[in-house]
């Protein structure tokens, strides 16, 4: 073999050798999540293991962020060291989109497959026709009620309208005052007055907290004010109190200890009651409707960071983690509701007692009040706090409209 042939063979070996290495190179993909329960941590790890089995060329490193998740994420984004993929709550998604901190996923998505997601969940992570995240799970607010207390109070059916609900409140109050509902009973219902929770009453009366198309705060418009007045009247009639008024930290404790007969909560109530009050005889139901059916949805997505060096692999991860296989694992654990419509029947089959959550979801509005959404919810909460305290103290002549106007202005 001539020297020239040996030289060419050497070059070829180098060329093809490099090509083989690049092809087999393993991609390291970082994924940031916030700390959660041991059960949810185990679920995510099982889902990631399935992904790595399907995509053996991608190694996923899970980064658990403790403390203030959004603060840590924003710091990392500013330093260009954020994970390739990370959780984003719908409440703050518009802010990240506005700052171009997360990338649109549209070029990687199958439009037909996208139709399988609940559209109102996708709205939480979409802007100007682009999708910036795929929802991994969600929770609607629903009504939980104590079946034994309802029976003792002579309530034969769960209320489905505000009018029926008012009758239910009165029957529970009377039964409680006569001692029929046990020595722990204090009020018919426990409810917190923060903005994103009481928004449900606004929505049910045909109003809204925020106009996402016009980017306007609207929780002081007539429909919203009248919806909130329905809630404040429940406070006036001593039907509702915050859990702190009963010495409890949250609605779940007041319900578990049978201090109330009803609470408005999300699906996270169920695993809590399983351990805190395993013998409590309760059921979940759709929220009674006002002018229309409505509820708030709380949802989280997987998004892609703008500084990722592996956008294709990051997109594959996001698509897989929100696909049928990993969502079936979630259904088995009962830790969340599937975001795909095609899995709703399967969820109800596995968790028949949670059927109301699936039924309520179609009337849900995601917690997404614009790029300053947390501020909007906070200001609405402050207004509610003032009005709630006045009503508890018997000051019913408070000007609800004026207070909401003041805080709507502060929310801008």
């Amino acid at each position: 073999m001539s020297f020239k042939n040996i030289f060419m063979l050497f070059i070829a070996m180098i060329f093809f050798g490099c090509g083989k290495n690049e092809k087999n190179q393993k991609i390291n993909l970082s994924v940031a999540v916030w700390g959660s329960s041991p059960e949810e941590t185990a679920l995510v790890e099982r889902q990631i293991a399935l992904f790595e089995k399907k995509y053996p060329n991608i190694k996923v490193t899970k980064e658990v962020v403790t403390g203030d998740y959004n603060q840590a994420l924003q710091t990392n984004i500013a330093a260009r060291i954020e994970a390739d993929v990370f959780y984003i709550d719908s409440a703050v998604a518009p802010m990240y989109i506005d700052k171009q901190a997360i990338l649109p996923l549209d070029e990687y998505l199958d439009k037909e497959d996208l139709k399988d997601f609940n559209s109102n969940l996708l709205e939480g992570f979409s802007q100007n026709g682009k999708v910036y995240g795929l929802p991994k799970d969600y929770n609607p607010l629903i009504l939980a009620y104590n079946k034994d207390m309802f029976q003792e109070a002579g309530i034969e059916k769960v209320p489905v309208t505000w009018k029926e609900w008012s009758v239910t409140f009165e029957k529970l109050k009377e039964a409680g005052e006569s001692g029929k509902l046990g020595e722990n009973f204090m009020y018919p219902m426990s409810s917190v007055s923060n903005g994103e929770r009481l928004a449900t009453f606004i929505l049910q009366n045909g109003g809204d907290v925020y106009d996402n198309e016009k980017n306007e705060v609207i929780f002081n418009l007539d429909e919203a004010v009248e919806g909130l007045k329905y809630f404040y009247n429940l406070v006036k009639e001593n039907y509702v109190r915050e859990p702190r008024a009963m010495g409890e930290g949250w609605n779940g404790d007041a319900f578990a200890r049978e201090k109330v007969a009803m609470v408005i909560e999300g699906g996270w109530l169920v695993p809590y009651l399983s351990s805190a009050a395993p013998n409590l005889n309760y059921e979940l139901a759709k929220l009674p409707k006002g002018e229309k059916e409505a509820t708030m949805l709380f949802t989280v997505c997987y998004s892609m960071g703008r500084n990722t060096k592996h956008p294709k692999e990051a997109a594959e991860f996001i698509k897989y983690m929100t696909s049928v296989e990993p969502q079936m694992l979630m259904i088995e654990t009962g830790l969340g509701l599937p975001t795909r419509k095609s899995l709703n029947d399967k969820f109800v089959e596995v968790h028949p007692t949670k059927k109301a959550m699936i039924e309520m979801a179609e009337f849900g509005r995601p917690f997404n009040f614009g790029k300053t959404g947390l501020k909007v919810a906070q200001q609405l909460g402050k207004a509610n706090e003032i009005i709630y305290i006045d009503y508890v103290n018997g000051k019913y002549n408070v000007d609800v409209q004026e207070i909401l106007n003041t805080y709507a202005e502060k929310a801008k």
Side-chain angles (χ1 to χ4, degrees):
M1 182 179 292
S2 68
F3 174 77
K4 182 179 179 181
N5 288 340
I6 293 174
F7 178 74
M8 293 303 294
L9 178 61
F10 178 70
I11 294 298
M13 288 174 65
I14 292 176
F15 178 79
F16 288 111
C18 287
K20 183 178 181 181
N21 286 337
E22 287 177 1
K23 184 178 180 181
N24 294 333
Q25 185 180 12
K26 199 156 190 170
I27 299 296
N28 288 308
L29 198 68
S30 54
V31 178
V33 303
W34 48 65
S36 187
S37 65
E39 292 81 8
E40 185 169 350
T41 298
L43 169 64
V44 174
E45 290 175 352
R46 286 178 66 193
Q47 292 170 324
I48 289 175
L50 287 174
F51 172 79
E52 290 181 325
K53 185 177 181 180
K54 184 172 183 179
Y55 296 90
N57 63 318
I58 303 176
K59 169 64 179 174
V60 176
T61 301
K62 181 164 67 75
E63 301 173 358
V64 179
V65 179
T66 57
D68 190 323
Y69 179 84
N70 278 308
Q71 186 177 50
L73 181 56
Q74 290 175 52
T75 300
N76 288 344
I77 290 172
R80 302 172 66 86
I81 57 170
E82 81 273 27
D84 298 294
V85 176
F86 41 80
Y87 284 177
I88 289 287
D89 190 292
S90 66
V92 294
M95 177 188 72
Y96 285 95
I97 294 171
D98 183 65
K99 293 183 176 180
Q100 299 181 342
I102 53 179
L103 298 175
L105 303 173
D106 301 75
E107 66 180 289
Y108 306 102
L109 301 179
D110 180 336
K111 290 184 179 179
E112 285 301 312
D113 181 65
L114 210 56
K115 293 177 182 176
D116 193 28
F117 286 90
N118 286 307
S119 58
N120 47 5
L121 297 176
L122 280 177
E123 286 176 13
F125 309 105
S126 301
Q127 195 170 97
N128 298 326
K130 294 182 179 179
V131 178
Y132 289 82
L134 294 183
K136 70 181 189 67
D137 58 16
Y138 73 100
N139 262 295
L141 292 180
I142 40 86
L143 182 73
Y145 67 96
N146 186 311
K147 294 174 64 177
D148 291 337
M149 288 184 176
F150 267 45
Q151 185 174 3
E152 288 295 332
I155 301 167
E156 296 180 351
K157 65 185 285 287
V158 182
V160 296
T161 66
W162 280 5
K163 186 176 181 180
E164 292 179 0
W165 208 8
S166 295
V167 175
T168 298
F169 277 116
E170 183 57 29
K171 286 186 174 180
L172 286 167
K173 182 182 175 184
E174 290 177 358
E177 289 173 346
S178 65
K180 291 182 178 178
L181 304 186
E183 60 183 15
N184 289 343
F185 181 83
M186 297 181 73
Y187 297 97
M189 189 169 83
S190 174
S191 176
V192 292
S193 57
N194 61 33
E196 63 272 26
R197 294 295 190 93
L198 287 196
T200 297
F201 289 91
I202 294 175
L203 298 172
Q204 289 178 338
N205 200 50
D208 205 336
V209 174
Y210 190 84
D211 187 326
N212 290 76
E213 293 184 1
K214 297 179 179 178
N215 292 319
E216 290 180 1
V217 177
I218 56 173
F219 63 65
N220 58 330
L221 299 187
D222 290 347
E223 295 85 354
V225 174
E226 293 305 312
L228 289 172
K229 282 183 176 178
Y230 177 81
F231 173 78
Y232 301 142
N233 192 55
L234 299 180
V235 177
K236 176 183 176 182
E237 298 295 337
N238 290 322
Y239 295 155
V240 174
R241 283 295 184 273
E242 290 212 353
R244 59 184 170 172
M246 293 168 266
E248 301 296 351
W250 75 295
N251 289 332
D253 281 335
F255 193 62
R257 295 187 175 112
E258 300 188 77
K259 293 184 176 181
V260 297
M262 298 181 288
V263 289
I264 296 174
E265 277 295 342
W268 49 79
L269 179 70
V270 176
Y272 177 77
L273 292 177
S274 297
S275 59
N279 297 320
L280 190 69
N281 187 20
Y282 75 99
E283 277 193 359
L284 305 178
K286 292 169 68 178
L287 291 174
K289 68 176 182 179
E291 292 296 319
K292 66 176 188 178
E293 293 196 80
T295 191
M296 286 294 293
L297 295 176
F298 300 91
T299 180
V300 174
C301 78
Y302 283 105
S303 281
M304 183 196 303
R306 70 181 178 193
N307 295 311
T308 179
K309 293 181 174 57
H310 311 293
K312 182 180 176 183
E313 290 78 9
E316 290 300 336
F317 179 80
I318 292 170
K319 288 191 291 183
Y320 178 78
M321 292 295 276
T322 54
S323 66
V324 171
E325 188 175 31
Q327 291 213 30
M328 282 298 297
L329 284 182
M330 182 179 67
I331 290 174
E332 291 172 10
T333 63
L335 291 173
L337 275 71
T339 56
R340 289 178 172 273
K341 291 180 285 189
S342 60
L343 294 176
N344 283 348
D345 289 344
K346 185 63 180 178
F347 180 85
V348 174
E349 180 184 327
V350 177
H351 304 285
T353 59
K354 297 181 180 178
K355 183 180 179 182
M357 298 172 69
I358 293 291
E359 293 175 336
M360 200 74 236
E362 81 173 274
F363 305 104
R365 185 231 200 273
F367 180 17
N368 173 332
F369 301 151
K371 62 183 180 182
T372 59
L374 293 180
K375 179 182 175 183
V376 173
Q378 183 186 49
Q379 294 302 323
L380 175 56
K382 287 182 177 179
N384 286 327
E385 174 76 3
I386 291 171
I387 300 165
Y388 169 82
I389 291 175
D390 280 343
Y391 268 62
V392 167
N393 292 320
K395 298 178 181 177
Y396 308 129
N397 61 349
V398 60
D399 192 332
V400 172
Q401 180 71 71
E402 183 179 346
I403 293 174
L404 290 170
N405 284 343
T406 299
Y407 282 87
E409 192 64 31
K410 291 182 178 181
K412 292 179 180 175

